[in-house]
Amino acid sequence: MASYDIGIDLGTTKIIIYVNGKGIVLDEAAVVAYNHKTKKVLAVGKNAFSMIGRTPEYITAVSPLRDGVITDMDLTELMIKELLKKISESMMVKPRVAVCVPSTITEVERRAVVRAASFAGARKVYLIDEPIAAAIGAGINISRPDGFIVVDIGGGTTDIAVISLNGVVEKKSIKIAGNYLDETIAKYILNKHKILIGDRMAETIKCQIGNVFEPSPDKCAEARGRNMITGMPRKVTVSEQEIYTALKEPVLEIIKDVNEVLERTPPELIGDIHENGLLLTGGVALLKGLPELMKKMLNVKVIVPDDPLTCVAVGTGKAFDYLDELGDGFVHAAIRKH
């Protein structure tokens, strides 16, 4: 493998890989398909994702991560190894690899990430907290002696952190994020329309008409699934107002947790945050109306970078430039293996 420094955004729904000098080189679904008869990986990424729900019992097509942490160690190791093969020309020189993790994961979970990256061929493994990576990826100077707050809402977790002088001052990680919002939409449609839809359909509806600020009852989308009364396929039209009803409670819970972090923040930094604003990253940053709702409820300006989906991956890869500066949130994981 070429002697690159590699940053991996190891997400619940996606794996994004950044290589210094090249940028984003891979963006794949965090799914692996494994044949238990032959003991071989059939596919990873988007090819494995297309197999979900369509495989015989001896083939597993799943995401080996849940809520931002590894749930199946063996499949995670195989998945990372296969994805790194896609971006490497040889395995002659092992790279340094930085992997971003939720800011409040346990020591056991951290060791699981280290083991997975080491198995995949890393020479050295570093772990970086997601909010730190998001800030670096968004181009923020994290060494400034004033504070700002990062809210990274991915597929499995929402990570909230107040950052100042290269370190994390206050933080919180919750398991209400993109996947939870999809599940909430599916549950709403099941309860109201008696139609069972899949996660992919729920995500499509969220992207099409998800709006958590001044939704319109006239904008609609089509939900297709199975009628739970007749068992037959059925489609129904749902409005933006309905999806707002489904999403309102979990979104308000996220904002409440952001407010709790702000309440614990030292007064000196609160003034900085009101001036610098809130950095909103992750896939859910694209949810229509979310920046406006957060601004209204938190009384702070909300900044969404040009590409909130890749901020964490870019920041993870660029974090090697801060090895001597980061006082918190970026560690050489070898010291944590014991």
Side-chain angles (χ1 to χ4, degrees), residues 43-66:
V44 296
K46 61 184 179 182
N47 292 334
F49 181 76
S50 67
M51 298 181 185
I52 293 178
R54 298 181 172 93
T55 61
E57 62 179 17
Y58 59 89
I59 294 177
T60 299
V62 296
S63 173
L65 297 102
R66 178 73 179 174

Side-chain angles (χ1 to χ4, degrees), residues 41 43 66 82 104 113 118 125 138 142 150 157 191 197 211 215 261 283:
V41 173
R66 178 73 179 174
E82 290 298 319
T104 58
V113 174
S118 298
V125 181
I142 62 174
V150 178
T157 61
N191 291 338
I197 66 172
N211 186 354
V261 172

Side-chain angles (χ1 to χ4, degrees), residues 158-232:
T158 291
D159 275 86
I160 309 157
V162 173
I163 300 172
S164 179
L165 286 171
N166 295 318
V168 177
V169 179
E170 289 290 344
K171 63 184 178 181
K172 186 170 187 178
S173 181
I174 60 174
K175 295 178 180 179
I176 300 176
N179 291 351
Y180 187 92
L181 298 183
D182 297 341
E183 292 167 6
T184 301
I185 290 172
K187 187 180 296 184
Y188 175 86
I189 292 175
L190 177 62
N191 291 338
K192 181 168 183 181
H193 299 284
K194 301 299 183 285
I195 294 179
L196 179 66
I197 66 172
D199 293 340
R200 292 170 71 175
M201 185 78 256
E203 183 183 16
T204 298
I205 292 170
K206 179 183 70 180
C207 294
Q208 288 179 343
I209 59 170
N211 186 354
V212 294
F213 191 75
E214 299 180 354
S216 168
D218 300 323
K219 190 171 182 180
C220 300
E222 192 176 80
R224 299 182 299 276
R226 183 169 69 243
N227 188 310
M228 294 305 292
I229 298 175
T230 67
M232 301 296 291

Side-chain angles (χ1 to χ4, degrees), residues 147-149 162 262 265 269-278 300:
F148 58 93
I149 186 166
V162 173
L262 288 171
T265 301
L269 293 178
I270 287 293
D272 296 338
I273 290 170
H274 277 285
E275 181 177 341
N276 297 329
L278 178 153
V300 62

Side-chain angles (χ1 to χ4, degrees), residues 72-289:
D72 189 313
M73 173 59 69
D74 293 335
L75 288 181
T76 300
E77 291 174 349
L78 291 170
M79 179 176 67
I80 295 176
K81 187 174 183 179
E82 290 298 319
L83 290 175
L84 285 180
K85 279 183 182 178
K86 286 188 176 185
I87 66 169
S88 63
E89 297 177 358
S90 72
M91 295 294 290
M92 296 297 293
V93 179
K94 293 184 176 182
R96 295 189 303 179
V97 173
V99 185
C100 73
V101 293
S103 57
T104 58
I105 68 170
T106 67
E107 189 66 26
V108 172
E109 291 164 344
R110 285 177 180 268
R111 285 200 297 268
V113 174
V114 173
R115 178 182 155 186
S118 298
F119 176 84
R123 170 167 51 95
K124 288 184 179 180
V125 181
Y126 294 80
L127 302 182
I128 181 169
D129 291 348
E130 285 182 359
I132 292 281
I136 295 173
I140 290 177
N141 180 2
I142 62 174
S143 64
R144 295 183 312 192
D146 58 351
F148 58 93
I149 186 166
V150 178
V151 180
D152 179 66
I153 314 178
T157 61
T158 291
D159 275 86
I160 309 157
V162 173
I163 300 172
S164 179
L165 286 171
N166 295 318
V168 177
V169 179
E170 289 290 344
K171 63 184 178 181
K172 186 170 187 178
S173 181
I174 60 174
K175 295 178 180 179
I176 300 176
N179 291 351
Y180 187 92
L181 298 183
D182 297 341
E183 292 167 6
T184 301
I185 290 172
K187 187 180 296 184
Y188 175 86
I189 292 175
L190 177 62
N191 291 338
K192 181 168 183 181
H193 299 284
K194 301 299 183 285
I195 294 179
L196 179 66
I197 66 172
D199 293 340
R200 292 170 71 175
M201 185 78 256
E203 183 183 16
T204 298
I205 292 170
K206 179 183 70 180
C207 294
Q208 288 179 343
I209 59 170
N211 186 354
V212 294
F213 191 75
E214 299 180 354
S216 168
D218 300 323
K219 190 171 182 180
C220 300
E222 192 176 80
R224 299 182 299 276
R226 183 169 69 243
N227 188 310
M228 294 305 292
I229 298 175
T230 67
M232 301 296 291
R234 188 189 165 196
K235 58 184 179 181
V236 66
T237 299
V238 292
S239 70
E240 194 173 82
Q241 180 66 49
E242 285 186 274
I243 301 307
Y244 167 78
T245 301
L247 295 178
K248 182 178 179 181
E249 184 176 337
V251 167
L252 288 178
E253 182 62 34
I254 292 173
I255 294 174
K256 182 184 118 179
D257 286 301
V258 175
N259 191 56
E260 285 181 4
V261 172
L262 288 171
E263 288 177 347
R264 299 198 306 265
T265 301
E268 292 82 0
L269 293 178
I270 287 293
D272 296 338
I273 290 170
H274 277 285
E275 181 177 341
N276 297 329
L278 178 153
L279 178 67
L280 181 62
T281 63
V284 181
L286 299 173
L287 179 62
K288 188 177 179 182

